[in-house]
Amino acid sequence: MSFVILIILFGGMMWFMQRNQKKAAAQRQEQLDNMQPGSEIVTIGGLHGILANVDKTKGTIELDAEGVILTFDRAAVKTVKPVVTTEATEALDGVIAEAKAENVDASETADKQDSPFE
């Protein structure tokens, strides 16, 4: 009886492991299919660059690493960071500009105050 329980437990464990592997493989395939020029790419070798071109017929990508164009297999991609839209960068630039302006105002008022050490 205990032998049957062990077989059932082992079979269940194998089924769950296979299911998790299928989910991970599907997620990776979706990530590779959704790559588009402008995405930040990290290869399995640790090279960081911007995706310049995707050739789906050959299964290769061209990676722009500081002006040097390198060709890799799609399988060499470790992570893909999505393309940052111009609206998001403009909004971020606006927030940075406001923070700098506030910092300048705060430093001007600090300069106008009398220092006890003068």
Side-chain angles (χ1 to χ4, degrees):
M1 182 68 178
S2 65
F3 184 69
V4 173
I5 294 173
L6 285 175
I7 290 175
I8 292 172
L9 287 175
F10 183 73
M13 184 178 67
M14 294 300 290
W15 183 77
F16 279 114
M17 287 177 21
Q18 183 181 18
R19 183 174 165 220
N20 288 339
Q21 286 177 347
K22 282 185 181 181
K23 281 184 181 180
Q27 182 181 10
R28 175 161 171 74
Q29 187 62 39
E30 180 182 342
Q31 182 184 35
L32 292 176
D33 289 340
N34 292 335
M35 287 190 303
Q36 55 185 327
S39 299
E40 290 184 40
I41 303 290
V42 179
T43 65
I44 56 175
L47 182 72
H48 294 248
I50 305 295
L51 184 62
N53 189 18
V54 178
D55 188 356
K56 291 186 179 184
T57 58
K58 292 182 183 177
T60 60
I61 62 168
E62 290 182 359
L63 194 63
D64 182 3
E66 296 184 10
V68 179
I69 303 295
L70 303 167
T71 303
F72 290 97
D73 287 339
R74 284 177 38 163
V77 175
K78 182 178 180 182
T79 58
V80 178
K81 297 178 186 172
V83 178
V84 178
T85 62
T86 56
E87 294 174 6
T89 55
E90 289 174 1
L92 184 60
D93 290 341
V95 170
I96 292 171
E98 289 176 11
K100 285 182 180 179
E102 289 175 6
N103 191 17
V104 169
D105 292 341
S107 65
E108 287 176 0
T109 56
D111 291 341
K112 291 179 183 176
Q113 293 178 354
D114 292 330
S115 174
F117 299 107
E118 290 181 356

